[in-house]
Amino acid sequence: MIKRIPASYSAGIILSYKCNASCLHCMYACSPKWRGNWTSEKGLEHLLSILKDTIQPSPLGPDYIGVNHGIHFTGGEPFLNFKLLLRATEMASYFGIPSLFVETNCFWCKNKKTTREKLLALKEKGMKGILISVNPFYLEYVPFERTKTCVEVSREIFGVNTLVYQIEYYRRFSQFGITGTLAFEEFLKLERGKYFARNVEFFLMGRAPYKIAEKLSVIFPRFKASRFFFESCRPPFLRNWHNHFDNYGNFIPGYCGGIALGNWNNGRELFGREINTTEYPLLKYLMNEDMKGLFKYARTLGFKENGDGYFSKCHLCTDIRKYLSSSGNYGELKPEEFYLYLED
Ligand code: SF4
Ligand code: SF4
């Protein structure tokens, strides 16, 4: 059956994968090692002109934000290129994009004055809100004082359109009286290890299975590959919300770092375009035969199942893709650097 690129009513625009941090859980394997390759203004104009027809506002209205509505500018860390972020905001406003927000790890919030100046400048260009990332992996790179500064000033400027993801960690860091940065191992000691994932959302995909689950095998058991052959992708692989559009032109389904369904820079008709399984053979397996199909195909090319097992379906999926990307050239395994920096 023909599958098509789903029209997205909410989207993340990855301006670059370059980041000041290299978080252990990063779904997109971002780090300072990536080349910047920031999305060009021309590219942004093209992308926004496509998205303007499908993006839906928050149920509260276009001046409010929500993680699964509107558009967010993200990375990598978008504040590494503030000039582009300003311009992107201006362009999104020009196209009438509702519920626009930016996602940040707050590394740049050294004091209230500069934080206020930057956020006000964004607001003037049409930015509606901000999503502030908080968890123990960012804490390894960003002093907690900067996160607090960002939250405080953002609430002053964006009011209710200040989302703290995840507020539970913000509460715990405050309760522990954390200052400065903290190594993940030290945080685990504070949390007595097994409580670190309590009451929070945590996805075992991207770097996480390699860099975190390894350290926490008490919490996360491993399973044989066959356990995941028919398990559904959660959230679904083909979906019409919260897809990502990166600086290389890749349409990335959901949070599936390293997979491209197509190229948004390739003509005006993106949504509804047939997913080309001749050009992208691995997608054919994922879409029609699920993980069993991809696994069997990889086996014919020499992929060997990890005898220690897998933490999640996404772990198995990423492991297979990592193997295939090192042994062939697949148009759907993009960007290539994802596989290069996955375990870095
Ligand atoms: S999770 Fe965010 S801050 Fe951490 S490396 Fe990835 S993009 Fe950077
Ligand atoms: S198993 Fe693969 S395709 Fe499915 S959600 Fe995980 S990374 Fe995406």
Side-chain angles (χ1 to χ4, degrees):
M1 195 178 127
I2 290 174
K3 300 265 188 349
R4 299 183 182 281
I5 295 185
S8 302
Y9 69 77
S10 65
I13 297 183
I14 296 177
L15 294 174
S16 165
Y17 288 85
K18 198 168 186 64
C19 191
N20 61 300
S22 185
C23 299
L24 296 173
H25 74 312
C26 189
M27 290 167 170
Y28 304 103
C30 299
S31 83
K33 289 187 182 163
W34 284 71
R35 289 169 293 151
N37 280 332
W38 296 85
T39 312
S40 68
E41 284 192 25
K42 201 158 168 276
L44 263 176
E45 188 180 354
H46 177 64
L47 177 58
L48 291 167
S49 73
I50 295 172
L51 290 171
K52 75 173 178 13
D53 296 329
T54 60
I55 294 298
Q56 294 293 316
S58 147
L60 296 172
D63 292 336
Y64 291 87
I65 67 164
V67 262
N68 293 321
H69 288 88
I71 281 183
H72 59 284
F73 291 122
T74 184
E77 174 48 55
F79 281 82
L80 283 175
N81 190 341
F82 189 64
K83 197 169 154 219
L84 178 65
L85 180 59
L86 272 180
R87 183 72 189 114
T89 306
E90 194 171 47
M91 290 166 85
S93 304
Y94 171 80
F95 281 108
I97 302 287
S99 302
L100 184 70
F101 64 99
V102 62
E103 181 174 359
T104 184
N105 67 23
C106 312
F107 85 96
W108 52 278
C109 300
K110 294 182 179 154
N111 57 58
K112 283 193 175 177
K113 183 172 175 291
T114 53
T115 305
R116 193 173 287 115
E117 279 166 7
K118 286 201 158 109
L119 294 184
L120 279 174
L122 283 171
K123 191 175 184 183
E124 261 172 41
K125 298 286 183 194
M127 188 65 80
K128 299 290 183 230
I130 188 166
L131 184 144
I132 297 167
S133 304
V134 188
N135 70 36
F137 316 115
Y138 301 92
L139 189 61
E140 294 204 288
Y141 297 92
V142 181
F144 189 47
E145 294 85 329
R146 293 190 192 182
T147 305
K148 287 208 264 195
T149 300
C150 193
V151 171
E152 241 175 80
V153 177
S154 294
R155 282 178 175 159
E156 184 190 298
I157 291 169
F158 292 119
V160 293
N161 286 343
T162 303
L163 305 180
V164 179
Y165 183 78
Q166 303 187 51
I167 194 77
E168 170 66 12
Y169 280 124
Y170 190 77
R171 187 190 67 72
R172 283 193 230 168
F173 296 172
S174 304
Q175 196 176 46
F176 287 135
I178 289 173
T179 53
T181 55
L182 190 69
F184 182 57
E185 271 76 9
E186 294 305 311
F187 180 71
L188 287 181
K189 285 182 198 160
L190 287 175
E191 288 275 270
R192 285 177 285 147
K194 59 184 179 174
Y195 295 121
F196 107 98
R198 183 191 51 186
N199 298 335
V200 292
E201 197 170 40
F202 183 64
F203 295 93
L204 272 171
M205 63 198 308
R207 274 199 193 113
Y210 300 96
K211 308 290 270 187
I212 302 167
E214 277 293 348
K215 299 179 201 287
L216 293 170
S217 47
V218 184
I219 314 178
F220 303 113
R222 288 174 179 258
F223 300 94
K224 285 181 73 162
S226 54
R227 155 83 164 65
F228 302 108
F229 281 175
F230 301 107
E231 190 178 276
S232 317
C233 291
R234 283 189 298 258
F237 175 59
L238 292 182
R239 61 199 229 184
N240 58 1
W241 52 277
H242 211 125
N243 292 307
H244 288 85
F245 301 78
D246 80 8
N247 49 317
Y248 298 103
N250 300 309
F251 175 110
I252 298 166
Y255 311 126
C256 307
I259 301 181
L261 291 191
N263 192 303
W264 56 259
N265 233 340
N266 206 355
R268 253 214 70 77
E269 285 80 36
L270 172 70
F271 300 134
R273 190 192 295 165
E274 182 181 339
I275 297 173
N276 187 335
T277 49
T278 309
E279 204 181 322
Y280 297 164
L282 304 182
L283 295 182
K284 181 177 69 188
Y285 293 112
L286 273 177
M287 293 187 300
N288 300 340
E289 298 175 46
D290 215 315
M291 203 47 62
K292 187 175 184 185
L294 186 64
F295 179 81
K296 278 174 72 180
Y297 172 72
R299 282 282 294 268
T300 64
L301 296 178
F303 173 75
K304 290 198 173 47
E305 179 174 354
N306 183 342
D308 291 335
Y310 298 93
F311 293 109
S312 63
K313 181 180 181 183
C314 299
H315 183 197
L316 172 62
C317 179
T318 312
D319 230 39
I320 295 174
R321 290 188 275 119
K322 190 155 67 81
Y323 173 79
L324 293 173
S325 78
S326 67
S327 57
N329 187 13
Y330 294 91
E332 63 274 62
L333 300 186
K334 290 281 178 333
E336 289 97 342
E337 292 100 315
F338 170 85
Y339 299 95
L340 204 59
Y341 300 132
L342 191 59
E343 293 187 71
D344 236 16

